[in-house]
Amino acid sequence: VAGALVLLYVLFTMVTQPSAAPATPPPAEPEPKVELRDFTLEELAKFDGKDGRDLYLAVNGDVFDMFSHESGRDLYGPDSPYNVFGG
């Protein structure tokens, strides 16, 4: 009988207590502004990652900064498997 009373008390307190309000997630940080510009092939060729220069990769007219990504430097940087695609 005592066990049943304890069980009823626990269930009663679980049902009658207001639930905690869900935590509000922090606001997302705004995306950094990207400066859009056009490149000629000669300009783009300079961004090959050699000698500490930035490494850009162009695909279908979109240019990506691969120097900012460690895997990008490892894949497309100088002396890497896909270095012909950089710059």
Side-chain angles (χ1 to χ4, degrees):
V1 175
L5 289 174
V6 170
L7 180 61
L8 284 173
Y9 174 75
V10 170
L11 289 174
F12 177 75
T13 55
M14 288 175 58
V15 172
T16 57
Q17 288 182 350
S19 62
T24 305
E29 292 186 25
E31 292 284 328
K33 292 197 177 210
V34 177
E35 181 183 333
L36 299 179
R37 61 172 282 203
D38 293 328
F39 290 93
T40 65
L41 291 178
E42 292 78 21
E43 289 174 324
L44 189 61
K46 296 175 185 175
F47 297 97
D48 57 4
K50 293 179 182 174
D51 300 323
R53 291 189 296 256
D54 286 343
L55 175 62
Y56 289 176
L57 176 71
V59 179
N60 291 331
D62 294 321
V63 178
F64 301 94
D65 179 7
M66 301 309 292
F67 191 77
S68 299
H69 304 284
E70 185 175 333
S71 60
R73 290 190 304 267
D74 292 342
L75 288 173
Y76 302 104
D79 302 322
S80 64
Y82 301 105
N83 67 335
V84 296
F85 297 111

